[in-house]
Amino acid sequence: MANAHNALSDAQRDGVRPSITCRSCGAELTTTFVDLGMAALANSYVPPGGLLAPEVTYPLHVFVCSECLLVQLPAVTSAESIFADYAYFSSYSDSWLDHARRYVEATSERFGIGAQHQVVEIASNDGYLLQYFRDRGVPVLGVEPAANVAEAARAIGIPTVVRFFGEESAKELRGEGTRADLLIGNNVLAHVPDLNDFVAGLAVLLAPDGLITMEFPHLLRLMAETQFDTIYHEHFSYFSLFAVERVFASHGLELFDVEQIPTHGGSLRIYVQHADGGRERSPRVAALRDEEAAAGLHDLAGYAAFADQAKRTKLSVLEFVLQAKREGKRVAAYGAAAKGNTLLSYCGVGSDLIDFVVDRSPHKQGLYLPGTHIPIRAPEVVDELRPDYLLILPWNLKAEIMEQMAHVRAFGCRFVTPVPEVRVYG
């Protein structure tokens, strides 16, 4: 691994812990949820010429607010440095495309979305979702901060503006005549460092009788299944229903329905309207509130055990790869995913234990994972080098990956998933 230096504030270098405040309610953050050590930015893939260059690492120290119970990672670098040029393209996952297609069909049917409505998606990536609304004749607009990804959306005919979303940009869009009848945000809410500014922008851009849907990983599932690898610097916040309702309510927005969906290891899809929007509240909201309360998410003490859970998973991963190496086995990984980079970094597993990782995205092939510097190859390399184990880093896509790579079983390769503990599939 290249020499690394830690990105520390002047106060930290002087041994003084700076005051950190909650991005939702402003209270001082003093209670640790989990500390995963230091890590490079999860999507800062390293080119071959950069392997000997110094690599910046940042704290993955997550807090829980004692006032509003929002679990959060303090911003250690700017959103621009993370998202301005982005390595993740949504369209390379078949299961995610299918999820987007089914969402468009269900939402259009339930709320009567048609050609007379304006659909806007925040963090629209490469047009993976809006293309299905466009194909139904619905006017669409993407708002995407990464210019390289926005260009891919425009190439398939999805109008996309390149900007970070917040109250100011929402006012600009509104001034240009855009009001959203359906305002979508899939896996963006967790990526927002200035949470109140972002939600204020949603309220500005939403038409008076409009609808917001947001999807994000559910803190309840993260905790129950020890999904600590969902934590990385792009994810500033980790939401329970309890915490997210408070944020939206403070900006005059009402959460009137919620669904628990299987994506990303267990997510929520919330349905939001202006406080006077008139849609009846679903009983699913109260039911999920009760479920979270029963799991301890309404009490600060309920968050205390997670750090030890993460340590147990770390030991499970280390024991597996070390034993495999002792037995002379070859271990490769599938998926150069951000969550995989957190897992490998926290567990201390590098290129000495994982020979290579394969990924379908040509945007990642030929690069190296940040921090661990494991080389990223095309999936066909698995057939050439025939490892004994294939560790699935994006374990939330294990069914899709195991189906795509089923042929490797013919030469004795076995699939492995790391979370909540190591599991080897015959």
Side-chain angles (χ1 to χ4, degrees):
M1 184 186 298
N3 292 329
H5 69 276
N6 297 339
L8 299 174
S9 68
D10 291 338
Q12 288 169 307
R13 291 191 185 96
D14 295 337
V16 179
R17 181 185 176 280
S19 177
I20 306 170
T21 57
C22 174
R23 63 173 45 90
S24 174
C25 71
E28 185 176 0
L29 298 176
T30 58
T31 303
T32 294
F33 176 64
V34 67
D35 185 353
L36 301 178
M38 306 294 293
L41 297 179
N43 279 302
S44 59
Y45 297 94
V46 181
L51 290 174
L52 297 179
E55 192 168 17
V56 180
T57 62
Y58 302 89
L60 273 177
H61 190 144
V62 186
F63 295 85
V64 55
C65 178
S66 59
E67 298 297 323
C68 70
L69 300 180
L70 176 65
V71 173
Q72 56 201 284
L73 182 66
V76 294
T77 188
S78 68
E80 287 79 5
S81 67
I82 297 175
F83 298 112
D85 187 76
Y86 202 41
Y88 178 71
F89 289 71
S90 296
S91 293
Y92 285 101
S93 169
D94 293 339
S95 61
W96 187 243
L97 288 175
D98 184 58
H99 171 74
R101 186 184 302 108
R102 286 185 282 108
Y103 163 84
V104 170
E105 292 171 354
T107 306
S108 296
E109 181 176 345
R110 178 179 176 184
F111 297 103
I113 304 297
Q116 72 277 24
H117 296 110
Q118 175 70 61
V119 174
V120 178
E121 184 180 12
I122 310 301
S124 50
N125 203 262
D126 58 7
Y128 75 101
L129 184 148
L130 290 179
Q131 63 182 329
Y132 299 118
F133 277 115
R134 177 205 58 195
D135 293 347
R136 299 170 72 96
V138 179
V140 299
L141 176 67
V143 181
E144 169 56 48
N148 63 317
V149 181
E151 187 58 35
R154 290 171 177 155
I156 63 168
I158 304 300
T160 306
V161 296
V162 178
R163 64 185 70 175
F164 284 89
F165 184 78
E167 187 172 14
E168 182 178 348
S169 58
K171 289 177 179 177
E172 291 172 358
L173 289 167
R174 184 169 169 171
E176 295 164 4
T178 300
R179 295 298 297 273
D181 299 299
L182 173 60
L183 187 51
I184 304 166
N186 283 351
N187 300 307
V188 60
L189 194 62
H191 293 69
V192 177
D194 192 340
L195 187 58
N196 282 299
D197 178 65
F198 182 87
V199 178
L202 297 178
V204 167
L205 193 59
L206 186 65
D209 58 351
L211 162 72
I212 298 170
T213 71
M214 291 268 146
E215 295 181 16
F216 47 84
H218 189 193
L219 180 64
L220 180 64
R221 297 268 62 82
L222 183 153
M223 294 174 65
E225 299 168 25
T226 321
Q227 298 171 0
F228 68 86
D229 55 344
T230 306
I231 296 167
Y232 42 94
H233 297 105
E234 291 175 18
H235 287 174
F236 297 104
S237 303
Y238 305 83
F239 293 104
S240 63
L241 179 70
F242 178 82
V244 82
E245 273 197 291
R246 288 188 57 159
V247 176
F248 278 83
S250 69
H251 294 279
L253 296 169
E254 177 192 28
L255 194 156
F256 69 90
D257 197 4
V258 62
E259 294 177 69
Q260 298 187 67
I261 56 178
T263 55
H264 297 284
S267 295
L268 294 184
R269 177 186 291 150
I270 59 173
Y271 295 81
V272 179
Q273 62 185 348
H274 288 294
D276 56 356
R279 296 180 182 90
E280 185 177 351
R281 178 167 292 189
S282 166
R284 291 189 290 201
V285 176
L288 185 53
R289 283 199 203 112
D290 291 343
E291 183 180 349
E292 289 189 345
L297 268 65
H298 292 187
D299 188 325
L300 189 63
Y303 296 81
F306 184 76
D308 285 338
Q309 294 173 226
K311 289 176 185 176
R312 286 194 292 271
T313 298
K314 173 179 181 173
L315 291 175
S316 174
V317 171
L318 279 171
E319 287 167 357
F320 164 73
V321 293
L322 289 172
Q323 184 61 31
K325 284 296 182 181
R326 289 190 190 102
E327 295 173 356
K329 304 292 187 181
R330 191 170 199 181
V331 183
Y334 188 105
K339 58 163 40 79
N341 291 328
T342 292
L343 180 105
L344 297 173
S345 173
Y346 176 58
C347 294
V349 174
S351 57
D352 54 338
L353 297 174
I354 303 289
D355 292 354
F356 59 91
V357 59
V358 299
D359 198 280
R360 290 178 68 190
S361 173
H363 302 281
K364 297 180 181 179
Q365 293 165 11
L367 303 177
Y368 293 77
L369 296 185
T372 60
H373 292 182
I374 298 171
I376 306 170
R377 314 289 292 277
E380 294 75 23
V381 173
V382 176
D383 303 324
E384 299 171 15
L385 300 181
R386 300 194 169 195
D388 299 285
Y389 296 105
L390 195 59
L391 176 64
I392 300 175
L393 296 176
W395 45 260
N396 53 300
L397 301 176
K398 68 181 179 184
E400 175 184 344
I401 292 166
M402 290 169 72
E403 181 179 356
Q404 290 172 354
M405 301 294 292
H407 63 280
V408 305
R409 286 192 168 106
F411 55 79
C413 183
R414 303 173 73 185
F415 295 104
V416 183
T417 52
V419 171
E421 60 185 6
V422 169
R423 179 178 177 185
V424 180
Y425 299 80

